[in-house]
Amino acid sequence: MPGSKNSEAKGNDKKSAGRILIVGLGNPGREYAQNRHNIGFMTISRLAEGNNIDLGRVQQRSIIGTGRISGQDVLLAKPQTYMNRSGEAVGGLSRFYKIDPQNILIVYDELDLPFGSLRLRQKGGAGGHNGMKSVIQHLGNDFPRLRLGIGRPPGQMDPAGFVLQDFRNGELPILEELLADACMAVESFLVDGIDLAMTRHNKI
């Protein structure tokens, strides 16, 4: 269970009694709002909208909101440090609210997953993602994460340029479905723990 003292023994199979920090990675500013790189921010916005959580406070260099999702106390956050310094904000929130890394779910874009797919992982490396590199520098690598597939860039296009492009109009129906799936995966993580959530939502 996220954050439980018995989580290893019980396989993370039930929700925690403590608060869970859910962080979506992205870049602040209107010019980045619809970028592929900001799908983590988009997920946090959907979670907030769907659960009547007000993202109206700024703390520890993040826009935050507190509330309950599926009966679990949560803190939703969008770091405002730009992607490659995301760990500064996440680390600050972790220390300020005394939330252990195992109780922090990071949501972010993944080039190496097909667009529209997602994968939950219990821990791991950054996989070349600069935001995750920064988070790992501040938290270590033992924290759960939700990777949202945006696919590889076409042809010889630079991946750095691709992630900073907006989703195309023709991609929006798939994006909507992916954001809905991401919210369901987060809710499953909160209710059932990471192991069962992975079994239910990791399709590839």
Side-chain angles (χ1 to χ4, degrees):
M1 71 187 102
S4 167
K5 294 179 181 179
N6 298 320
S7 62
E8 293 185 3
K10 293 188 177 182
N12 293 357
D13 57 352
K14 293 182 180 179
K15 70 181 178 182
S16 167
R19 177 178 284 167
I20 304 297
L21 171 58
I22 305 170
V23 181
L25 300 189
N27 286 307
R30 290 183 180 179
E31 65 269 36
Y32 301 107
Q34 302 304 315
N35 286 182
R36 293 180 174 88
H37 223 14
N38 273 42
I39 199 169
F41 275 16
M42 296 176 195
T43 302
I44 295 299
S45 293
R46 293 300 177 92
L47 287 167
E49 292 165 6
N51 294 278
N52 297 314
I53 296 174
D54 179 22
L55 292 171
R57 295 164 55 198
V58 177
Q59 195 166 55
Q60 299 296 316
R61 305 173 75 183
S62 297
I63 293 173
I64 66 167
T66 57
R68 292 177 69 81
I69 298 177
S70 299
Q72 174 69 53
D73 290 328
V74 299
L75 171 65
L76 303 181
K78 298 179 183 180
Q80 300 296 291
T81 50
Y82 289 98
M83 182 67 83
N84 63 356
R85 298 172 63 185
S86 298
E88 297 173 14
V90 178
L93 289 169
S94 175
R95 292 187 295 272
F96 185 84
Y97 286 98
K98 298 179 173 60
I99 301 176
D100 293 334
Q102 292 80 12
N103 275 359
I104 301 174
L105 178 67
I106 306 294
V107 184
Y108 65 101
D109 58 293
E110 176 58 74
L111 285 164
D112 290 327
L113 286 176
F115 179 41
S117 63
L118 60 79
R119 293 280 289 183
L120 283 155
R121 292 187 66 188
Q122 195 165 18
K123 59 183 179 180
H129 192 286
N130 288 332
M132 287 298 287
K133 288 179 184 177
S134 178
V135 173
I136 289 170
Q137 287 175 355
H138 288 262
L139 296 184
N141 65 2
D142 191 8
F143 59 87
R145 68 283 311 271
L146 174 59
R147 302 155 61 208
L148 304 181
I150 60 171
R152 300 295 303 180
Q156 300 299 313
M157 185 177 182
D158 180 9
F162 177 71
V163 300
L164 293 177
Q165 283 187 345
D166 288 357
F167 287 100
R168 299 190 305 271
N169 286 339
E171 295 174 319
L172 295 182
I174 297 175
L175 173 62
E176 289 295 319
E177 185 174 351
L178 177 56
L179 291 172
D181 289 346
C183 290
M184 287 191 291
V186 170
E187 291 167 6
S188 181
F189 165 75
L190 293 171
V191 172
D192 302 311
I194 187 64
D195 288 339
L196 187 52
M198 287 192 298
T199 299
R200 288 179 172 170
H201 294 279
N202 291 356
K203 302 301 183 184
I204 63 171

